[in-house]
Amino acid sequence: MTEPRDRTDAAQGIEGVLLANRDRIVRFLEVRGAADGAEDLFQDLWMRLTDRRSGPIADPLPYIMRAANNLMLDRYRSARQRELRDKAWGEASAAHAPSSETSLISREQLVLVEKAIAATGERPARIFRRFRVDGLSQRDIAGEMGVSLSTVEADLRKVYAALAVIRRQFDAS
């Protein structure tokens, strides 16, 4: 019976430490190479640490800093894997050109994807393009468009949901 309360106390404890040391953690992420993405990484860190079920943490700040460091390592490994995958894909695609049929199917699918993105509305489509194509951080997009960060996140979820529906249609074909 005390478990839900313990969970709440633990979450509030870690949240309190995150809030009290927010600037320090963001600076740590920036120094580790996050640059402008430090705010987004802090949000990811917040979600990871407050969503998981954990008991009391004896020394929460070192725990948080270790989690932030692990997040940066994950980011580095992911970027490295992406670079290797892109390089391999570039070499493989340079070796052979797609068939006319594959090109036609791809163009048709692209039109459907563009329509699905446009159907979500002008603002979500613009936010999606600024985030995924232009590479802006969510915080920068929110400032640029004069909306809250949660609005940017909600609009991105809306577009991702539309794209997931299209992807399922492609997979079913």
Side-chain angles (χ1 to χ4, degrees):
M1 180 129 179
T2 60
E3 187 175 319
R5 183 167 181 241
D6 291 343
R7 166 71 179 118
T8 304
D9 291 345
Q12 288 175 348
I14 203 81
E15 288 175 6
V17 175
L18 282 164
L19 285 173
N21 294 284
R22 183 185 175 286
D23 292 336
R24 181 178 180 185
I25 297 166
V26 169
R27 274 194 316 274
F28 173 79
L29 292 169
E30 288 171 345
V31 168
R32 298 284 293 159
D36 294 338
E39 293 287 341
D40 291 336
L41 283 171
F42 179 79
Q43 183 179 8
D44 289 345
L45 180 66
W46 180 286
M47 296 304 294
R48 282 186 183 192
L49 294 178
T50 58
D51 280 350
R52 64 173 71 156
R53 196 174 276 265
S54 65
I57 299 167
D59 209 357
L61 186 57
Y63 176 81
I64 290 170
M65 297 307 269
R66 170 69 90 183
N69 188 56
N70 289 343
L71 190 62
M72 287 301 301
L73 288 173
D74 290 347
R75 182 178 187 224
Y76 170 76
R77 289 179 185 137
S78 176
R80 175 111 170 96
Q81 287 298 324
R82 184 175 46 252
E83 288 172 14
L84 292 173
R85 187 175 48 247
D86 289 349
K87 182 179 177 189
W89 182 83
E91 291 170 356
S93 65
H96 57 74
S99 69
S100 298
E101 180 183 9
T102 302
S103 295
L104 180 62
I105 291 170
S106 296
R107 276 189 243 122
E108 289 174 353
Q109 288 178 337
L110 179 60
V111 168
L112 292 174
V113 167
E114 288 174 345
K115 285 181 181 178
I117 292 171
T120 62
E122 183 180 331
R123 188 185 67 207
R126 183 171 174 220
I127 287 173
F128 175 77
R129 287 187 179 94
R130 296 294 284 157
F131 183 65
R132 298 300 291 185
V133 177
D134 299 337
L136 265 74
S137 72
Q138 293 178 13
R139 185 168 304 283
D140 290 343
I141 295 168
E144 174 184 298
M145 297 188 72
V147 297
S148 68
L149 184 58
S150 61
T151 299
V152 170
E153 292 168 348
D155 284 350
L156 285 172
R157 281 192 302 271
K158 186 177 182 180
V159 175
Y160 290 146
L163 293 177
V165 169
I166 291 292
R167 172 112 189 223
R168 284 192 292 274
Q169 289 174 358
F170 292 161
D171 291 345
S173 302

